[in-house]
Amino acid sequence: MQVSPWQPFLPYNAVCCRYSEIGTKGRNRGDFVRHLTEGLERRLASTFGRPRFDLELGRVYLYPEAEGRELTREQWDALHREIPALPGIASVSPGWRCAPSLEALEEYVFRTFPQVYGAYVAAVPEGQRTYAMRVNRCDKKFPLRSAEMERRFAEKILSAHPDLKLDLKNPGLRIGVDVRESGIFVDYERIAGPGGLPAGSGGSTLALLSGGFDSPVACYEMMRRGAYVDFVTFHSSPYTPEAGLTKICDIARVLNQFQKRGRVVAVNLLPLQKAIRDNCEEKFRTIHYRRNMMRLACVVATRFHDEALVTGDNLGQVASQTLGNMRVIEDACPMMILRPLLVYDKLDIMAVARKIGTFDLSEIPVPDSCTVFSPVNPTTKANLGAVRADEAKLDLPVLLRQCLEQTTIMSTLNYAAHPFSELLEEPLPL
């Protein structure tokens, strides 16, 4: 349930972060929770500094850096802005942590309820106002059961506010209560997260990152399933502008807010592109580009010890992304290729891009390597034998090495490019 627009800012003293899928991980749960807290700390650093954490089964409690401090309005706003896209989070609630007693619970509820009720009444017409308290009683030694607490508070609140109607399924005004031995947590709102697993908990991958909408979203979807993502991009300098690489660095910087910093490698594809233009059939040109991008990406992935490649392929979106052409392209790749967007609708991809903050960057028009010497009529049904025969006209070991000699590792902070000569030590994936 996303936060309601009428929710007022209150003097909260804690944040309850819930996870779901992580809870099924048994003895490995601790590693997943560690990645989750690292992600929270990284994503909220600009407003929370170094927050304090308490860990309990199914919950991560987060507190402001200075002990005894309440959340600021800026921190409250940051939760609503950042949490909906943070991998591994099921939901987050700002609220209060108090002593594990009925008296403490009543003190917090009856002290804070009037302000919440006032904001709710101002936003919702009479006759449409509904209420419920939902209690999660993990401490079975607590003297009242969940239903008993819910009835106790309903009797007092509904008698004092007759305009409220009880609705246990979809209340407009909801009080959440989490009872544990260590304390009780009370909240009035839930900010929905994307679920999944925290980035960095599920192995390492290398993504082929372009400046379009699809590949950044593919990277994010891999992070949402726990993968760590490095980035490789291809350019055709001097035919493509320097702005293309700065755009890639900007996109990678946004994506790195969801994970421990992924590295950005830029490969100049131009030596191969010229040879393909001069020696191969035009209709296969894009297929040859993509096959050799995969080969070069495998060299980078091997150097980084990444386990798979990631692409933004979307079935049928462009000529190179038909089933037949994807099969011909992956024939050149000795590594596993992951395609998280294969069956996504384009509008869904763009919606995710807006949510994660890459949409505006991807919208900037900058030519990329795929536009250089692009064929007029690219084939949509390439024959593997014909492509291999056409490719035999090229001296691939020499051409791939020329591309690797012009490969750099990019800084996402100042766009500086450093030669990546270690790649030349890796065997070519032919």
Side-chain angles (χ1 to χ4, degrees), residues 272 292 295 391 394-401 428 430:
L272 266 162
N292 287 292
R295 290 182 172 120
E391 192 175 69
L394 305 172
D395 189 346
L396 283 180
V398 171
L399 292 169
L400 291 170
R401 191 159 292 277
L428 298 178
L430 298 175

Side-chain angles (χ1 to χ4, degrees), residues 149-292:
M149 281 189 278
E150 292 170 359
R151 284 196 298 269
R152 180 186 180 96
F153 281 88
E155 289 171 358
K156 295 184 178 182
I157 288 174
L158 295 179
S159 62
H161 305 89
D163 59 320
L164 294 178
K165 304 300 180 185
L166 188 66
D167 183 349
L168 298 179
K169 292 185 177 180
N170 189 29
L173 194 165
R174 171 193 163 280
I175 305 176
V177 177
D178 201 14
V179 180
R180 295 173 180 255
E181 289 187 26
S182 58
I184 296 177
F185 185 83
V186 185
D187 69 82
Y188 291 101
E189 60 178 306
R190 289 199 179 193
I191 306 166
L197 299 171
S201 63
S204 298
T205 62
L206 177 72
L208 281 70
L209 181 63
S210 72
F213 293 102
D214 297 352
S215 59
V217 173
C219 293
Y220 169 75
E221 294 293 5
M222 291 304 302
M223 294 174 191
R224 199 169 69 87
R225 293 309 307 159
Y228 169 81
V229 182
D230 285 313
F231 313 100
V232 61
T233 192
F234 298 89
H235 63 97
S236 305
S237 180
Y239 287 81
T240 51
E242 190 71 23
L245 291 180
T246 60
K247 177 180 176 180
I248 292 296
C249 287
D250 290 341
I251 291 173
R253 185 164 59 247
V254 171
L255 291 170
N256 276 337
Q257 294 179 73
F258 301 105
Q259 63 167 9
K260 186 178 180 180
R261 185 174 63 87
R263 297 158 286 191
V264 180
V265 173
V267 182
N268 192 342
L269 199 63
L270 190 61
L272 266 162
Q273 289 178 298
K274 285 183 174 180
I276 291 167
R277 176 198 61 186
D278 295 341
N279 297 283
C280 299
E281 289 192 47
E282 182 184 359
K283 67 178 180 179
F284 293 147
R285 198 173 285 174
T286 302
I287 301 294
H288 289 314
Y289 291 174
R290 295 288 293 176
R291 280 170 65 89
N292 287 292

Side-chain angles (χ1 to χ4, degrees), residues 231-235 237 242 245 249 263-268 300 304 402-411 415-423:
F231 313 100
V232 61
T233 192
F234 298 89
H235 63 97
S237 180
E242 190 71 23
L245 291 180
C249 287
R263 297 158 286 191
V264 180
V265 173
V267 182
N268 192 342
V300 177
F304 283 164
Q402 288 176 1
C403 294
L404 292 171
E405 287 171 352
Q406 299 180 55
T407 296
T408 56
I409 187 163
M410 305 289 298
S411 168
Y415 312 119
H418 306 284
F420 204 28
S421 56
E422 294 122 318
L423 290 177

Side-chain angles (χ1 to χ4, degrees), residues 4-74:
S4 301
W6 57 266
Q7 287 283 357
F9 169 68
L10 297 169
Y12 306 106
N13 66 16
V15 179
C16 178
C17 307
R18 305 174 188 86
Y19 53 82
S20 53
E21 195 170 344
I22 294 175
T24 68
K25 299 302 179 181
R27 286 180 293 181
N28 296 326
R29 187 184 301 121
D31 289 335
F32 287 90
V33 171
R34 176 175 57 82
H35 284 290
L36 185 67
T37 57
E38 289 173 356
L40 283 163
E41 188 170 13
R42 183 169 50 245
R43 193 70 179 164
L44 300 174
S46 62
T47 53
F48 278 81
R50 294 182 62 86
R52 296 172 293 118
F53 296 100
D54 279 342
L55 308 181
E56 294 200 16
L57 183 61
R59 301 288 186 269
V60 173
Y61 294 104
L62 181 153
Y63 307 93
E65 184 173 9
E67 190 169 356
R69 294 287 297 274
E70 296 171 345
L71 268 66
T72 65
R73 178 60 186 258
E74 184 183 14

